[in-house]
Amino acid sequence: MLRVAVVGSGPSGCYTAQSLVQQDPGVLVDVLDRLPCPYGLVRYGVAPDHEKIKSLQNNLRTILEHERVRFLGGVAIGPGGVPTARLRELYHAVVYCVGAATDRHLGIPGEELPGSWSATEFVSWYSAHPDSTADGFVAGARSAVVIGVGNVAVDVTRMLARGVTELSATDIPHPALTALAASGVTEVHMVGRRGPSQARFTTKELRELGSLPDTEVAVHAEELALDPAYLDPAPLPAPQRRNVEVLRGWAAGPSRPSSRRISLRFFLRPVELLADGGRVGAVRFERTVPDGRGGVRGTGELHEIEAQLVLRSVGYLGVPLEGLPFDPATGTVPHLAGRVLREGTVSPGEYVAGWIKRGPTGVIGTNRPCAKETATSLVEDAEILAHKNLPGDPLDALRAQGLDPVEWPGWQAIERAEAALGASLGRGVVKLRDWQSLLDAAHGA
């Protein structure tokens, strides 16, 4: 009987567990998570108004309810938690699916001004992540700048423009709903340093901006025209071509009277955040143009956009996990088909899957083949791994160390508490947003 620990209960962790039990009828999998709640970025990264994507939780639930899979929440791995070396003693193999836990910085003057945030912080706030302590994002803001043109940038732009009527039907935490309902933000600028044909958002996400009630979407035709592929999109791959077609429609169509406006800007590189009264008041950009090699170059021409709120959405970064090798250049753990490499040599019993394996790329579904590759490597190694003697059930050992993991019934208790909270507010399910509330619910307090 092979015992495997999967660290992380997001899509990559769940798909790894699924692939393991499908490929090996004798394997037992413990899915460990630092948080008391499962599902990772599906719970804490998908916007509340994306109900269809959030419904993927039902698929992940089926995996975690498998008879040979056990969810153990509230178990931190690394500093302050269970050391990786100890974890290796308790299991025949460990698969790390810890994602990319931090965000990239712009590295420009003024980035740390009050009113300047990472999109990750904003997402954590409206997703009720228990680590989120930030607040006051929209207080006093009239104009917002979102730096980046990926799906996360589209998400936060859409959330800033969403009306309270649409959001009240979601599981957004009540303080975030109240703050967004009182928001005075009427102008949102989403800005990319390259052209429309190089934007990373998907067409489905892009089109959603055009369907928001009482919201106008504007583009600058002269900026779009700087992109040669915009002028002739025929050679582009289908996803980029569809994006260009949507933007062409907005450039040609008449504007409609609206109380909110979303402006999509291109070929602008942020160079400085400007202060006004001790907080951010505007963003200074440099005009860029294509350099003929797939990138852009600066022109020296400067533009300023007023903003009392700035959200940067320029990518995620993996962070080192104590006890594991790490490549800071890529933000990943070195591996061979998911097998962890230490100084170029396979480290028996250690594996990676998801963003910590390949970098923060792809969509949720990309994790499935990635996880399958890693699980296949592990199953191929199973005969050798099984020779290791274990001290017994790892859960007993964790409890002996003073840990009180949240098992599946504890998670179900959290779900009931969130349904009760929503009912008390006259809404549907509403997320609990702090550690104490989650743990009290899980342990029946």
Side-chain angles (χ1 to χ4, degrees), residues 106 108-111 113 147 269-275 280 282-286 302-305 310:
L106 298 171
I108 61 175
E111 187 170 5
L113 282 170
I147 299 173
R269 176 167 57 202
V271 294
E272 186 177 3
L273 271 58
L274 305 175
V280 67
V283 184
R284 178 172 291 155
F285 293 92
E286 180 185 18
L302 299 178
H303 298 261
E304 291 180 12
I305 299 178
V310 175

Side-chain angles (χ1 to χ4, degrees), residues 117-320:
W117 311 83
S118 73
T120 305
E121 291 172 298
F122 187 58
V123 170
S124 293
W125 172 70
Y126 68 58
S127 296
H129 196 293
D131 288 342
S132 175
T133 57
D135 204 352
F137 291 93
V138 295
R142 304 178 305 277
S143 177
V145 165
V146 178
I147 299 173
V149 284
N151 277 345
V152 174
V154 176
D155 276 352
V156 299
T157 296
R158 191 182 65 255
M159 289 294 292
L160 286 170
R162 270 286 187 212
V164 65
T165 303
E166 304 112 76
L167 289 176
S168 62
T170 73
D171 64 1
I172 187 172
H174 213 62
L177 176 66
T178 303
L180 290 172
S183 170
V185 175
T186 57
E187 188 92 19
V188 185
H189 306 265
M190 189 170 75
V191 188
R193 64 185 178 88
R194 297 197 293 178
S197 70
Q198 297 167 310
R200 294 185 176 272
F201 44 62
T202 56
T203 308
K204 181 179 180 295
E205 295 261 359
L206 180 63
R207 283 182 177 139
E208 281 187 273
L209 298 179
S211 65
L212 296 175
D214 199 26
T215 302
E216 172 195 3
V217 179
V219 294
H220 289 228
E222 66 276 13
E223 290 180 349
L224 302 178
L226 292 173
D227 187 343
Y230 174 81
L231 299 174
D232 180 17
L236 288 173
Q240 285 78 22
R241 189 169 65 249
R242 287 193 292 267
N243 285 343
V244 167
E245 288 167 356
V246 172
L247 294 168
R248 278 174 173 268
W250 285 333
S255 61
R256 64 191 188 207
S258 306
S259 61
R260 287 184 296 271
R261 177 185 172 98
I262 295 172
S263 295
L264 304 183
R265 306 293 304 271
F266 297 95
F267 291 111
L268 291 173
R269 176 167 57 202
V271 294
E272 186 177 3
L273 271 58
L274 305 175
D276 181 10
R279 56 178 294 115
V280 67
V283 184
R284 178 172 291 155
F285 293 92
E286 180 185 18
R287 168 68 66 205
T288 61
V289 293
D291 63 5
R293 300 185 300 276
V296 292
R297 59 176 178 82
T299 65
E301 179 185 332
L302 299 178
H303 298 261
E304 291 180 12
I305 299 178
E306 177 193 351
Q308 296 78 39
L309 168 63
V310 175
L311 299 173
R312 68 175 184 273
S313 180
V314 290
Y316 295 95
L317 276 175
V319 296

Side-chain angles (χ1 to χ4, degrees), residues 44-73:
Y44 289 119
V46 175
D49 61 337
H50 270 181
E51 292 294 333
K52 185 173 181 180
I53 302 176
K54 289 173 72 68
S55 70
L56 283 170
Q57 292 184 24
N58 296 328
N59 298 340
L60 304 184
R61 171 189 296 275
T62 301
I63 298 168
L64 294 176
E65 288 180 335
H66 190 281
E67 61 183 2
R68 287 185 284 120
V69 176
R70 181 168 59 180
F71 173 70
L72 300 177

Side-chain angles (χ1 to χ4, degrees), residues 215-444:
T215 302
E216 172 195 3
V217 179
V219 294
H220 289 228
E222 66 276 13
E223 290 180 349
L224 302 178
L226 292 173
D227 187 343
Y230 174 81
L231 299 174
D232 180 17
L236 288 173
Q240 285 78 22
R241 189 169 65 249
R242 287 193 292 267
N243 285 343
V244 167
E245 288 167 356
V246 172
L247 294 168
R248 278 174 173 268
W250 285 333
S255 61
R256 64 191 188 207
S258 306
S259 61
R260 287 184 296 271
R261 177 185 172 98
I262 295 172
S263 295
L264 304 183
R265 306 293 304 271
F266 297 95
F267 291 111
L268 291 173
R269 176 167 57 202
V271 294
E272 186 177 3
L273 271 58
L274 305 175
D276 181 10
R279 56 178 294 115
V280 67
V283 184
R284 178 172 291 155
F285 293 92
E286 180 185 18
R287 168 68 66 205
T288 61
V289 293
D291 63 5
R293 300 185 300 276
V296 292
R297 59 176 178 82
T299 65
E301 179 185 332
L302 299 178
H303 298 261
E304 291 180 12
I305 299 178
E306 177 193 351
Q308 296 78 39
L309 168 63
V310 175
L311 299 173
R312 68 175 184 273
S313 180
V314 290
Y316 295 95
L317 276 175
V319 296
L321 183 61
E322 188 178 70
L324 279 184
F326 186 74
D327 181 354
T330 60
T332 60
V333 171
H335 71 94
L336 177 65
R339 298 177 177 93
V340 171
L341 296 175
R342 293 182 180 272
E343 297 181 353
T345 302
V346 169
S347 178
E350 293 185 305
Y351 303 84
V352 285
W355 280 1
I356 199 64
K357 170 186 174 184
R358 68 180 192 274
T361 60
V363 294
I364 291 174
T366 312
N367 290 292
R368 193 181 290 275
C370 172
K372 184 176 181 180
E373 178 189 57
T374 295
T376 300
S377 294
L378 194 158
V379 171
E380 288 173 355
D381 302 340
E383 186 176 349
I384 297 173
L385 298 172
H387 288 287
K388 180 171 134 185
N389 291 321
L390 301 183
D393 187 340
L395 181 55
D396 294 336
L398 293 173
R399 285 175 173 155
Q401 290 180 223
L403 297 176
D404 188 11
V406 175
E407 296 183 71
W408 196 249
W411 161 240
Q412 291 174 311
I414 291 173
E415 290 184 303
R416 290 193 295 272
E418 293 185 334
L421 173 60
S424 72
L425 296 169
R427 296 172 55 195
V429 171
V430 174
K431 285 181 182 173
L432 299 173
R433 65 189 186 101
D434 63 89
W435 275 95
Q436 195 59 56
S437 298
L438 290 166
L439 293 175
D440 284 349
H443 297 305

